[in-house]
Amino acid sequence: MSAPIFDQQAGRLRRNRAARSGGDRFLHDRALDDCLERLADMSRRFESVLVIGDHPETPVAALKAALPDAIVTASDPTSLSQLVPGSFDLCVSIGQLETSDDLSTAAFVRRHLLAPGGLLLGALIGGDSLPLLRSAMLAADQAGGGASPRVHPRIDGPSLSALLGSVGLVDPVIEIDRIDVRYASLGQLVNDLRAMGCTNILTQRSRRPLTRTQLEIASRAFLGGGIQATERFELLHFTAWAPQGDLATTS
């Protein structure tokens, strides 16, 4: 068995810390707003809804308001195996898929929780995110004479569409949402990532902080000689349906 890509315990600790801090979770909020808009445009009625996440209070409350006749259930991603397959006609999954060690298996589990004709709806962070941060960390590592995994690998839109189809979902639709945010320093970006629980949890990450010289080089590279930098975040909003008929049995 290959070594895990992500340190899931560190991920939970950082998401818990972010939730306690009450920081600005603008990517999560944007993804949730998109899900609610998509549901508002559908004539389909949903009766049994599953929300997947470590801290689902906000999406659960929003979905109960948007779907007052539905029963809304929440589950931690680690507890999905305890749920009965085919129990939900709507599964909402915002974030966390992007830090799955096996994204195909994670999507397969979500697909099997859907009743025939059920909808998988959600968003994850896409592959074109954080180009300036990547460049800044590369510059810091080069100054230190080595390299360390610092930025998470991400999936792109076409690959996500193909993956959803490979686990038995049909009619996948991926919409790419690119958000440009201006920062006056690298530190401001890092603070935002901490507030969202989105800092580095790669298993092979270095546990040593950057030296002062490396940090100065990274900060200069991030700003690119200007007084502000525009960093990009990419959200992949997705929908896909469980086919009508019996639950899929392929893996």
Side-chain angles (χ1 to χ4, degrees):
M1 177 181 291
S2 60
I5 300 170
F6 298 102
D7 182 343
Q8 301 297 344
Q9 181 179 8
R12 286 190 293 273
L13 289 173
R14 294 181 187 188
R15 289 190 295 271
N16 289 342
R17 182 177 60 193
R20 290 194 301 269
S21 72
D24 186 356
R25 303 177 68 202
F26 62 90
L27 290 183
H28 184 278
D29 293 342
R30 190 178 181 110
L32 177 58
D33 287 346
D34 180 87
C35 290
L36 296 174
E37 289 176 6
R38 289 173 187 251
L39 291 173
D41 290 338
M42 294 181 184
S43 57
R44 166 74 183 269
R45 293 177 60 87
F46 297 100
E47 298 178 355
S48 182
V49 180
L50 175 65
V51 178
I52 301 173
D54 283 337
H55 298 279
E57 298 85 3
T58 298
V60 165
L63 286 162
K64 285 182 176 180
L67 305 170
D69 296 328
I71 297 173
V72 181
T73 302
S75 176
D76 181 279
T78 62
S79 303
L80 297 180
S81 62
Q82 301 174 18
L83 302 176
V84 178
S87 297
F88 304 95
D89 52 20
L90 172 62
C91 176
V92 178
S93 182
I94 298 175
Q96 297 192 344
L97 274 174
E98 63 262 18
T99 54
S100 297
D101 288 316
D102 187 338
L103 185 54
S104 179
T105 296
F108 185 75
V109 170
R110 286 159 172 76
R111 179 262 175 275
H112 270 261
L113 291 172
L114 290 172
L119 173 65
L120 176 63
L121 171 67
L124 55 80
I125 300 173
D128 284 341
S129 295
L130 304 174
L132 296 184
L133 178 61
R134 292 175 187 272
S135 297
M137 292 299 98
L138 178 60
D141 281 337
Q142 289 174 338
S148 174
R150 298 189 186 277
V151 182
H152 294 179
R154 309 286 190 192
I155 194 169
D156 60 23
S159 298
L160 178 58
S161 180
L163 183 145
L164 294 174
S166 73
V167 300
L169 293 161
V170 298
D171 298 327
V173 175
I174 312 296
E175 291 192 5
I176 300 174
D177 180 15
R178 295 187 175 95
I179 307 104
D180 291 335
V181 183
R182 296 190 66 81
Y183 291 101
S185 69
L186 176 60
Q188 286 185 353
L189 169 61
V190 173
N191 287 340
D192 268 359
L193 294 176
R194 286 175 177 160
M196 294 185 287
C198 291
T199 50
N200 184 3
I201 60 167
L202 291 169
T203 302
Q204 298 302 317
R205 69 192 184 281
S206 174
R207 268 60 171 182
R208 293 183 301 175
L210 294 177
T211 66
R212 179 176 297 179
T213 298
Q214 286 179 299
L215 184 57
E216 290 173 352
I217 290 171
S219 298
R220 288 198 299 269
F222 179 74
L223 290 175
I227 60 172
Q228 285 190 324
T230 302
E231 184 61 289
R232 169 160 292 180
F233 297 88
E234 181 182 78
L235 285 176
L236 302 181
H237 304 278
F238 59 85
T239 58
W241 299 83
Q244 297 286 350
D246 293 336
L247 290 173
T249 58
T250 58
S251 61

